[in-house]
Amino acid sequence: MNRTRQTGSVQEPPEIASLFLAGARTVADAIADPSVARAWNLPSVLEEQPVSSLAGHLARGGVWAVSEYLDAGVPPGPVDFESAGEYFASVVSDLSADANRAIRERAAAVASVGFEELLRTLRERVDALSVRVPGLKPDRLIAVIGGRVMRLEDYLTTRIVEQTVHLDDLARSVDRRPWPMPAGAEALTIAVGLEIARRRSGQTAVIRALYRRGLAGTTLPVL
């Protein structure tokens, strides 16, 4: 995926590793918010998930899944997903009711240690990744869900999307303004979303959804 940011009149690629780590620190700060602790056992905006499970999913899926996959070593390849958008389009298309239930159960298991222990583990993992990730090459291969292979930069991009989307879910769940994401994270998330929409719904559907009122459904399937 071609990702750029505007710097004066020059287009430069954003530093994905730094953006991921800044987002990981935002996740930790958000989960540490007293509003999350107060709502820990209350329903979230996500179906069948209390705030605790949403926090568990955000901590693991948005941050420390990276360390778990890195610990498995470097796979031989070939690359299965060439971009973050291809990854999401494939994974979402494969999701069954059982798979969704398994995701909720993993999130609940992560959160079952309680607010303080989850936060302690999360901060520990963020600190470790802050040392580990900057030393890795963007094109290093990593085996992710189902053993399928991606380049590290593309997988970190998927984690930035997870951070951005689920931090908004968490903010809505505790009835507060969204936590500000690092500069560039929201634009990157939108760009990935457009790629997913093109892959899942086609170019024509995306053009109509963006430019023509009434020709698309109330939502365009992305995730």
Side-chain angles (χ1 to χ4, degrees), residues 18-221:
S18 295
L19 198 57
F20 161 74
L21 291 170
R25 289 187 284 271
T26 301
V27 167
D29 289 343
I31 292 177
D33 194 292
S35 64
V36 174
R38 287 193 297 268
W40 193 248
N41 295 313
L42 299 178
S44 77
V45 297
L46 299 186
E47 184 179 4
E48 298 182 44
Q49 290 195 60
V51 169
S52 58
S53 290
L54 173 54
H57 180 75
L58 180 55
R60 182 187 178 277
V63 181
W64 77 58
V66 175
S67 58
E68 292 176 353
Y69 289 139
L70 287 174
D71 288 345
V74 181
V79 170
D80 295 298
F81 300 129
E82 291 286 349
S83 70
E86 184 179 4
Y87 164 91
F88 278 122
S90 176
V91 168
V92 172
S93 296
D94 291 344
L95 277 180
S96 62
D98 287 342
N100 274 311
R101 183 165 51 252
I103 290 170
R104 293 193 297 270
E105 289 172 352
R106 277 197 301 272
V110 170
S112 66
V113 298
F115 172 78
E116 291 184 359
E117 181 62 18
L118 173 62
L119 183 59
R120 185 197 66 78
T121 302
L122 175 56
R123 290 203 184 280
E124 183 179 89
R125 299 290 180 92
V126 171
D127 289 344
L129 285 167
S130 295
V131 174
R132 186 177 192 180
V133 168
L136 300 175
K137 293 182 178 180
D139 61 354
R140 179 209 193 271
L141 298 186
I142 182 171
V144 296
I145 186 169
R148 287 172 284 189
V149 178
M150 300 181 73
R151 296 177 185 88
L152 177 63
E153 182 174 68
D154 291 321
Y155 185 64
L156 293 181
T157 300
T158 71
R159 299 309 91 189
I160 294 166
V161 173
E162 289 277 340
Q163 292 168 358
T164 304
V165 172
H166 288 310
L167 275 169
D168 183 61
D169 290 334
L170 187 62
R172 291 186 296 124
S173 296
V174 299
D175 195 25
R176 60 151 287 159
R177 292 172 61 88
W179 288 273
M181 283 295 290
E186 291 174 333
L188 183 61
T189 298
I190 292 167
V192 173
L194 284 172
E195 183 186 352
I196 300 165
R198 287 200 305 270
R199 288 179 177 275
R200 297 195 69 205
S201 301
Q203 305 262 75
T204 299
V206 174
I207 291 170
R208 289 175 178 174
L210 290 173
Y211 295 103
R212 288 294 178 259
R213 184 182 298 116
L215 292 182
T218 54
T219 60
L220 188 66

